[in-house]
Amino acid sequence: MMNFKRISLAALQAVGFGLMPASALAQITDTTTFTGQVPGTCTYTSGTSQTIEMSYSAENNGTFTGQTQNLTISCNFATSVTLGAVNADLSNPTETNNTASLFVGGSGDALVTSGVSASAETSLGNSPGVATNVQIGLEVQGASTVGDYSYTVVLTTLSS
């Protein structure tokens, strides 16, 4: 005579799950990565493309000096600047020795200077989102020949 034992339904389910492959019980996950970028913006908000009348002195075989009004730079990132070489107009009556300087916030100390060649890239020291005022000054020595003189200096703002 056979001896039958009762097996409960719960026991059968447990035995059934034990016989299932392990992969059937694995968790499935999905990882989604969201990306975005804040665009860098930098503008000269005032004082661009100025024409400056320089003052003349007989010192140093004829010296011109001049300085721009505020040129306001507004960037949402910390910036670096370069001051381009001083370009003398080819129609100037004589060659001169030229030095351009960049002043920040009306300070008397030049942040960078240039002459025959451009300045090195230098941090402006600005805070992101805060407008910064700079001025470009020019000193020309050796302008002893009578006539009209003209010079161009380019300021470049770069991301740091």
Side-chain angles (χ1 to χ4, degrees):
M1 177 161 190
M2 291 188 149
N3 197 2
F4 289 102
K5 293 189 178 178
R6 281 192 173 185
I7 299 178
S8 71
L9 185 56
L12 281 176
Q13 287 175 343
V15 169
F17 282 131
L19 298 175
M20 291 179 72
S23 63
L25 296 177
Q27 291 183 350
I28 298 173
T29 61
D30 172 68
T31 302
T32 302
T33 303
F34 295 88
T35 62
Q37 182 180 35
V38 174
T41 60
C42 193
T43 58
Y44 296 122
T45 58
S46 67
T48 59
S49 302
Q50 298 178 42
T51 300
I52 305 301
E53 186 71 32
M54 295 187 294
S55 59
Y56 181 76
S57 167
E59 293 178 9
N60 295 315
N61 200 22
T63 301
F64 285 117
T65 56
Q67 186 167 320
T68 67
Q69 298 295 316
N70 282 336
L71 174 62
T72 305
I73 302 171
S74 184
C75 301
N76 67 351
F77 53 88
T79 62
S80 294
V81 293
T82 61
L83 199 55
V86 178
N87 292 312
D89 191 293
L90 295 177
S91 66
N92 285 355
T94 189
E95 285 189 36
T96 54
N97 185 13
N98 316 307
T99 304
S101 302
L102 183 68
F103 304 99
V104 178
S107 71
D109 298 326
L111 178 66
V112 293
T113 60
S114 67
V116 175
S117 59
S119 72
E121 182 179 328
T122 304
S123 172
L124 182 60
N126 67 311
S127 297
V130 178
T132 303
N133 290 322
V134 298
Q135 304 82 34
I136 300 171
L138 180 63
E139 181 175 90
V140 174
Q141 294 179 349
S144 58
T145 303
V146 174
D148 294 329
Y149 293 78
S150 180
Y151 303 87
T152 305
V153 180
V154 175
L155 171 65
T156 303
T157 303
L158 310 156
S159 60
S160 295

